[in-house]
Amino acid sequence: MATRRNSVEPWRVKVARNLLYHPANPLKSVPFGSGPLPTQNVREPHCRFADDCNIFVRTPKAAERVMASIGGYIETRLKLVVNREKSQVARSDRVKFLGFTIVGETVAIAHKALQGAMAKVKELTPRGTHLRLEDTIERINSWYVGWSSYFALTNYPAQLHKIEAHIRRRLRSRLIDQQKNQRNLYRKLTGRGVPRRQAAAAVYSHRGRWALSNTRAVTKAYPNGWFIAVMGQAIRSDRKLPHWFDIDRWIRLA
């Protein structure tokens, strides 16, 4: 549990009605003063009503107290309805807000948002598609550039790197499937510079295409650089933004 003053606190009060929302940066907080709700010293542009808000406090007891007081204020003074099923008191790393999770003093893409991205990649790389590989990558880039721009608020570029690696593996799996049989796949791999023994060990291992897509033979035939430089895969995890950690730093979320 965080103890330093002005640090992000681990306990969060989530109220499903909000009064202050920052339109440019959804994660920018507004100071919670001594009154029931902040009404002065707000220098950033804001709207008066939105869907969601987070309030960070130091302890579970304080969180319960603030939850009760804010809920009462919204319902009695503002005559609005608080959704009690969606409102909760929980640790900040156990819940998501606008697709993000706040862990200690860092911001990460929420686990549910990452799973949604994985599902989107699967949707964009279906089995048996008639699209050329170049057209598939163009469609993926069109979605991924926008998605990654929004989630660039994360402190962990490794999360974006994970999506990019998953895209490549899905495409390798598709390339394997296009060969139709083991003999064609063997010829394709050796034709792309894979040693015969290594290609044979992979192809005739009786593994499925998804397992084969992660073998050394297939990744050598279709390396990361080929997807990026030749096929034009969009890479967003290498931008080295000021608030990003090293790309090797990973965070495990529930």
Side-chain angles (χ1 to χ4, degrees):
M1 186 174 295
T3 57
R4 289 188 296 173
R5 185 172 298 178
N6 297 328
S7 63
V8 176
E9 304 302 337
W11 286 93
R12 187 183 88 156
V13 179
K14 179 179 179 181
V15 182
R17 275 287 191 181
N18 186 22
L19 295 177
L20 296 177
Y21 175 78
H22 192 286
N25 185 347
L27 295 179
K28 205 171 239 185
S29 60
V30 176
F32 185 75
S34 57
L37 283 172
T39 56
Q40 67 275 348
N41 298 327
V42 180
R43 299 180 181 179
E44 301 287 351
H46 62 277
C47 64
R48 295 305 297 176
F49 295 96
D51 299 281
D52 205 356
C53 77
N54 290 334
I55 301 173
F56 295 92
V57 295
R58 293 185 179 279
T59 64
K61 185 176 181 180
E64 296 287 355
R65 183 182 68 251
V66 172
M67 178 73 142
S69 63
I70 292 297
Y73 181 87
I74 291 174
E75 291 184 327
T76 59
R77 293 285 299 276
L78 302 180
K79 308 302 182 182
L80 299 173
V81 178
V82 175
N83 190 327
R84 299 294 178 178
E85 294 182 358
K86 293 184 178 180
S87 301
Q88 62 177 315
V89 173
R91 291 186 63 90
S92 63
D93 58 355
R94 298 293 181 180
V95 287
K96 66 181 182 66
F97 179 59
L98 300 176
F100 292 92
T101 295
I102 298 178
V103 183
E105 297 182 5
T106 67
V107 177
I109 302 173
H111 178 72
K112 187 175 181 179
L114 284 175
Q115 294 303 308
M118 294 290 193
K120 183 65 176 181
V121 172
K122 184 176 182 179
E123 175 188 329
L124 293 173
T125 55
R127 301 183 64 173
T129 180
H130 65 282
L131 292 175
R132 297 183 309 148
L133 186 64
E134 294 87 342
D135 296 333
T136 298
I137 292 178
E138 184 177 351
R139 293 179 61 192
I140 293 172
N141 289 347
S142 179
W143 159 77
Y144 179 65
V145 168
W147 186 90
S148 60
S149 295
Y150 174 79
F151 284 105
L153 286 171
T154 180
N155 293 129
Y156 300 91
Q159 294 184 298
L160 300 180
H161 183 73
K162 179 180 180 180
I163 300 298
E164 294 161 2
H166 185 66
I167 291 171
R168 289 190 293 270
R169 186 172 180 185
R170 289 284 306 180
L171 295 176
R172 289 188 184 105
S173 178
R174 172 181 158 179
L175 290 168
I176 293 170
D177 192 56
Q178 289 177 343
Q179 301 310 310
K180 302 303 181 181
N181 58 57
Q182 292 176 324
R183 179 178 295 180
N184 289 345
L185 178 58
Y186 173 80
R187 289 174 177 173
K188 176 64 72 172
L189 295 182
T190 55
R192 294 187 62 86
V194 179
R196 293 182 179 181
R197 180 174 296 180
Q198 188 178 65
V203 172
Y204 297 106
S205 62
H206 302 291
R207 284 181 284 185
R209 68 171 195 163
W210 183 246
L212 284 174
S213 66
N214 199 37
T215 59
R216 184 172 299 180
V218 174
T219 55
K220 185 173 183 177
Y222 301 101
N224 296 352
W226 181 78
F227 285 103
I228 298 168
V230 178
M231 304 307 297
Q233 182 193 6
I235 300 298
R236 310 289 283 176
S237 60
D238 61 352
R239 289 180 290 168
K240 301 186 184 301
L241 299 183
H243 63 284
W244 279 4
F245 297 137
D246 188 271
I247 198 170
D248 294 328
R249 182 169 174 179
W250 179 252
I251 183 170
R252 187 177 298 275
L253 300 172

